[in-house]
Amino acid sequence: MGTGLAIALVFVGCCSNVVSLELLVRQFPGCGNIVTFAQFLFIALEGLIFESNFGRKKPAIPIRNYVIMVTMFFTVSVINNYALNFNIAMPLHMIFRSGSLIANMILGIVILKKRFASSKYLSIALVSAGIFICTIMSAKQVVSCKEQNVYAFMRWLIGIGMLTFALLMSARMGIFQETLYKQYGKHSKEALFYNHFLPLPGFLLLSTDIYNHCVYFSQSSEYVCIRGVFILTTECASLTVTLVVTLRKFLSLIFSILYFQNPFTEWHWVGTGVVFLGTLLYTEVWSSMRAALRGPEVKEKKAD
């Protein structure tokens, strides 16, 4: 599958997914678990039929490695969706998850002993500052909207803690996934299937909550989005994947603010701008654009 189609899947699938999720959360608060379960079940059934051939196809990556990856993936997916039950607004949810660069760099330094250029540390400082500004502004809104309700604020703090944990766990999963792909090669469809098939028994722990919400809906719209991301990781360099996902998040954020009229102050806009500026600085998109523009000039000089 080509890179262009993978990027289209990410933009169309992920943006429509964000809209659908926010509509569901507004109409049915607390539906995060049933959404996650429907997503996992749908993708697992599709992969069971078309990828694993009903278990007859031997996986390229050993199952024991998938079990480790799946444990982290399941935890991240459930916590990210469940955090919406703790007074976390969708715009803050999207901005906070844009902090994956911070988590990736921290764990890369600690686990892989990586060292980065000064521009990388500057970009991470910008992303951190932007997220901090948006978080503080959202905290003030929670307190003011709930009339100094300490219980509501404590629930919000728990939600922030859940997002932070999920962010670090997701970064650790990315490092583990990168190590597996270097050793066994990239198998996006296989990884997509096992990452959603193996965790299904874990939803028994959430069966009561899932049953209570299953009467509202029974199908998820996340498949197009997540398949696009899995394919993109095998078709493009990590720089391109990060840039595409970041731009997609920005479009989703703008749509969420305008369409759903979520409260978004001037300071939220400042924080958002700083986050995306830091992200673009980290991915060195400006250097890539300059190199692309210089390409024709270099060829002309060689021709002369």
Side-chain angles (χ1 to χ4, degrees):
M1 184 176 290
T3 302
L5 182 56
I7 293 175
L9 288 175
V10 170
F11 274 91
V12 176
C14 293
C15 288
S16 62
N17 171 62
V18 169
V19 175
S20 300
L21 181 59
E22 186 157 3
L23 284 170
L24 290 171
V25 170
R26 282 171 174 263
Q27 188 172 0
F28 310 112
C31 66
N33 289 332
I34 183 65
V35 170
T36 307
F37 173 69
Q39 168 199 339
F40 274 65
L41 181 62
F42 178 81
I43 297 176
L45 289 176
E46 190 271 348
L48 182 66
I49 299 170
F50 299 104
E51 172 58 27
S52 73
N53 194 17
F54 295 97
R56 288 191 287 267
K57 180 181 177 181
K58 184 178 179 180
I61 299 177
I63 293 295
R64 64 178 180 276
N65 292 319
Y66 275 125
V67 171
I68 298 175
M69 188 191 304
V70 157
T71 301
M72 292 186 282
F73 183 69
F74 175 78
T75 304
V76 169
S77 298
V78 171
I79 290 179
N80 271 329
N81 281 341
Y82 198 62
L84 294 171
N85 299 342
F86 290 82
N87 299 329
I88 301 295
M90 186 62 75
L92 178 62
H93 192 272
M94 287 185 280
I95 294 170
F96 209 92
R97 293 180 66 180
S98 298
S100 56
L101 290 176
I102 305 173
N104 287 334
M105 174 175 279
I106 293 174
L107 294 186
I109 294 173
V110 174
I111 298 175
L112 301 179
K113 309 300 180 183
K114 287 184 177 181
R115 293 294 178 266
F116 299 91
S118 300
S119 61
K120 303 292 186 183
Y121 293 105
L122 174 60
S123 67
I124 293 304
L126 289 173
V127 173
S128 303
I131 293 177
F132 178 77
I133 292 172
C134 291
T135 304
I136 292 299
M137 291 301 105
S138 296
K140 291 183 177 179
Q141 288 179 344
V142 170
V143 173
S144 61
C145 291
K146 300 297 182 179
E147 299 179 351
Q148 307 297 326
N149 191 326
V150 177
Y151 175 73
F153 183 70
M154 292 303 297
R155 281 182 60 84
W156 181 85
L157 285 180
I158 293 174
I160 292 297
M162 293 170 69
L163 289 178
T164 303
F165 176 80
L167 203 63
L168 293 172
M169 179 68 76
S170 179
R172 182 64 185 91
M173 181 183 70
I175 293 175
F176 182 73
Q177 192 173 24
E178 181 180 345
T179 304
L180 288 182
Y181 285 167
K182 286 181 179 179
Q183 183 176 356
Y184 298 101
K186 295 182 177 181
H187 306 276
S188 64
K189 291 184 179 179
E190 179 183 293
L192 179 65
F193 166 64
Y194 283 105
N195 276 338
H196 290 81
F197 178 76
L198 294 179
L200 288 178
F203 284 100
L204 291 174
L205 301 174
L206 308 172
S207 58
T208 302
D209 182 71
I210 291 174
Y211 176 78
N212 291 335
H213 286 89
C214 70
V215 294
Y216 301 133
F217 49 89
S218 59
Q219 188 173 4
S220 170
S221 62
E222 292 189 11
Y223 172 69
V224 175
C225 167
I226 199 163
R227 182 176 181 184
V229 173
F230 268 79
I231 294 172
L232 202 61
T233 58
T234 59
E235 294 284 346
C236 306
S238 58
L239 168 64
T240 306
V241 176
T242 303
L243 182 58
V244 170
V245 173
T246 299
L247 291 175
R248 194 279 305 166
K249 288 178 180 178
F250 182 75
L251 290 178
S252 299
L253 176 64
I254 298 300
F255 187 89
S256 175
I257 295 168
L258 297 179
Y259 183 78
F260 294 103
Q261 298 182 344
N262 283 306
F264 215 72
T265 66
E266 291 81 2
W267 280 106
H268 280 99
W269 282 113
V270 171
T272 302
V274 172
V275 167
F276 286 103
L277 176 62
T279 302
L280 294 176
L281 179 62
Y282 184 91
T283 57
E284 299 179 348
V285 64
W286 312 122
S287 300
S288 301
M289 291 175 64
R290 285 198 299 268
L293 292 174
R294 289 176 182 173
E297 297 178 2
V298 173
K299 291 182 179 178
E300 289 177 3
K301 289 180 179 180
K302 288 184 178 179
D304 294 339

